[in-house]
Amino acid sequence: MNALTVLSLAAVAVCSVAQMPWYPGLYGAYPGLHPWFRSGMPLIPQATMKAMGPVPMAYNMAPIAAMAPIYSQYGAQNEFGQYSFGYNAGLSARNEMRDVFGNVRGSYNYLDTDGKVQTQQYVSDALGYRVAGTNLPEYTPEVAAARAAHQAAHKEAAAATSVAPTTP
């Protein structure tokens, strides 16, 4: 055996022993399972154990780190003008596709400043551009009143322009 092999095996042995120095062994931290205690030969005298009283156990555990988000993306297109693409970036994601007729559909989401996930879905086709989202205002009584006021103002402006003809 050459020196490099011996040195490598020694390094592996040292590293494997040093990985968990706190590991209590095959029988666990409970001393009642250890063969010495079953044979009646305690490591600590009974008087000392009684004088110590209950001893709190400490668990040596490595802190759990948060998982890193998985980032991914994709994209494809063909000669007919169709395409699809998307990505996932942990706190935000997007996907979009276009078919052979030119219709585009997609959605995206993100984490807003309040910590809520906001999602938008959109369609663009022969009927126009339509969007639906979680952060868009809902049809409430205030929105209905604002719409009615806007329509009244629009009708009033249209009536005012139709009465006064323009002369060159």
Side-chain angles (χ1 to χ4, degrees), residues 25 31-32 50-52 56-57 60 74 76 104-107 115 118 127 141-143 148 150-151 165:
K50 287 181 183 176
M52 286 174 29
M57 293 190 75
N60 295 328
Y74 67 92
V104 177
R105 297 178 186 272
S107 68
Q118 301 294 341
L127 299 176
E142 293 85 12
V143 173
H150 177 74
Q151 287 177 350

Side-chain angles (χ1 to χ4, degrees), residues 49-128:
M49 289 179 69
K50 287 181 183 176
M52 286 174 29
V55 179
M57 293 190 75
Y59 295 99
N60 295 328
M61 292 178 57
I64 299 172
M67 279 185 57
I70 299 171
Y71 299 104
S72 64
Q73 64 182 13
Y74 67 92
Q77 76 181 66
N78 65 10
E79 63 272 4
F80 301 116
Q82 300 178 33
Y83 66 83
S84 67
F85 69 89
Y87 69 88
N88 182 359
L91 299 177
S92 67
R94 180 178 180 193
N95 63 6
E96 182 175 301
M97 63 167 282
R98 178 180 175 177
D99 63 15
V100 72
F101 303 109
N103 302 324
V104 177
R105 297 178 186 272
S107 68
Y108 62 93
N109 60 21
Y110 61 92
L111 192 66
D112 69 359
T113 56
D114 296 329
K116 296 179 183 175
V117 176
Q118 301 294 341
T119 302
Q120 274 66 34
Q121 298 173 344
Y122 55 90
V123 176
S124 176
D125 55 11
L127 299 176

